Amino acid sequence: MRIRLTSVFVDDQAKALHFYTEVLGFVKKHDVPVGEKDRWLTVVSPEEPGGTELLLEPLGHPAARTYRDALVEDGIPLAQFTVDDVRAEYERLRGLGVRFTQEPLEAGPVTTAVLDDTCGNLIQIATQPE
């Protein structure tokens, strides 16, 4: 069993695609129209183009909005991405105007930071030991 796909609910797919590709550095994998305005829109890491896809899922269902908004209100990230150096990535992203809700924080062997993805979610970045 493997994880092939996971998702984040986004307010605006075009805005999310810009943020996740132009700012975070992912690459678009699939972009297929679904219905009149939605898309099956996924991104992947350029380091693992055949790896796990992140679906930028339209926030259509009321329960999804309630869930996502409750997480943000409590300061809980919806997803976590691994980076080689949290402090360096924090500085790079801040330089691009990304807003962080948690600056780099060391917790034993793990360093984390939490950012606002501009599409309604908090995302944690982490450096973890091998």
Side-chain angles (χ1 to χ4, degrees):
M1 190 176 303
R2 296 176 300 229
I3 298 172
R4 175 61 61 205
L5 177 81
T6 190
S7 62
V8 293
F9 292 106
V10 298
D11 293 331
D12 180 316
Q13 285 185 300
K15 183 177 178 183
L17 181 61
H18 171 79
F19 183 82
Y20 280 83
T21 58
E22 302 300 319
V23 178
L24 295 186
F26 291 104
V27 294
K28 181 171 60 172
K29 175 87 176 201
H30 296 287
D31 189 352
V32 179
V34 178
E36 292 185 26
K37 63 178 180 117
D38 295 331
R39 299 146 65 181
W40 179 262
L41 183 59
T42 67
V43 296
V44 294
S45 169
E47 297 171 24
E48 297 178 348
T52 303
E53 295 178 49
L54 179 66
L55 174 63
L56 304 177
E57 188 163 357
L59 186 63
H61 194 281
R65 181 176 299 280
T66 300
Y67 170 71
R68 189 200 63 181
D69 292 351
L71 289 177
V72 170
E73 186 174 320
D74 289 345
I76 299 171
L78 180 66
Q80 176 181 296
F81 304 138
T82 301
V83 297
D84 292 333
D85 182 335
V86 167
R87 292 184 188 288
E89 193 66 10
Y90 169 82
E91 292 301 331
R92 181 186 80 81
L93 293 172
R94 277 192 36 154
L96 294 172
V98 174
R99 185 178 76 81
F100 280 80
T101 62
Q102 176 201 301
E103 295 182 2
L105 174 69
E106 291 182 22
V110 178
T111 302
T112 64
V114 178
L115 60 92
D116 177 343
D117 78 351
T118 73
C119 304
N121 303 290
L122 297 179
I123 303 294
Q124 181 170 276
I125 56 173
T127 302
Q128 300 178 341
E130 299 279 327

